[in-house]
Amino acid sequence: MRTLSKSFSLIPVTALALALMLSAAPASAQTTQGAASDRTSAASERPRDDLAGKLVRRIIQRAPSSIPGREIVQAETEIPAGVESGWHVHPGEEVGYIIAGEVEMKVEGRPTVILRAGDGFLIPPRTPHNARDLGPETGRMLSTYIVEQGQPLASFVGQHVEK
């Protein structure tokens, strides 16, 4: 056993630190679901997310909402230059903010808009929409979703026709 002095041992200090970390971990995991390490594509216990294979989405936090049957999910999404999300819907509202890049946003029933860093957007529940990064840099957006619990965060819509 290694000691720093005759009265101080590293083993009990290490054991105490480990015990404290283990006892605190479940409480923080319940509110943020692992924050930095929770990628939607790797979260097998979560409902399917169709966009997870196309874009990089990092779940920042996930928690029950005060609205019965809803949860709040906050995520950062990266869209590589030239890539589009594909027409999809969410089972609730999406409130978003462009962190970086230039994104062409098409929302069914609305004119197409070009969003730049600092711009916000709102997408109503189950409204088909498509985001395409115009480059040259990777687009990054922060979105907060207020969605039905137990539903996929995003689902593709088949053969969407623009109007």
Side-chain angles (χ1 to χ4, degrees):
M1 174 169 43
R2 212 172 115 194
T3 61
L4 294 176
S5 70
K6 292 182 180 183
S7 62
F8 183 69
S9 169
L10 286 179
I11 292 174
V13 172
T14 305
L16 177 62
L18 181 59
L20 287 172
M21 287 186 335
L22 290 175
S23 66
S28 64
Q30 290 171 4
T31 57
T32 64
Q33 297 301 318
S37 64
D38 187 7
R39 300 259 179 196
T40 306
S41 58
S44 60
E45 70 277 1
R46 301 263 178 254
R48 181 187 86 255
D49 176 357
D50 284 343
L51 293 184
K54 269 190 116 159
L55 311 174
V56 176
R57 183 178 291 134
R58 181 177 64 90
I59 302 298
I60 296 168
Q61 57 184 334
R62 174 181 237 126
S65 170
S66 61
I67 303 166
R70 299 278 177 159
E71 68 178 334
I72 300 170
V73 179
Q74 192 169 53
E76 179 183 12
T77 302
E78 294 180 5
I79 306 174
V83 172
E84 63 181 71
S85 63
W87 286 92
H88 64 283
V89 296
H90 304 286
E93 291 83 358
E94 178 180 4
V95 181
Y97 175 82
I98 305 298
I99 298 169
E102 189 171 81
V103 177
E104 176 188 68
M105 183 70 72
K106 295 181 178 185
V107 179
E108 186 176 78
R110 296 183 187 168
T112 299
V113 295
I114 305 299
L115 301 170
R116 293 173 181 84
D119 291 338
F121 60 93
L122 298 167
I123 311 235
R126 302 194 188 286
T127 301
H129 59 287
N130 182 43
R132 180 171 63 101
D133 184 70
L134 300 176
E137 66 183 302
T138 295
R140 289 180 39 232
M141 61 181 71
L142 176 66
S143 293
T144 302
Y145 304 90
I146 305 166
V147 294
E148 297 170 30
Q149 290 178 321
Q151 296 297 310
L153 187 57
S155 301
F156 285 124
V157 291
Q159 300 300 335
H160 182 80
V161 178
E162 291 184 55
K163 297 179 184 177

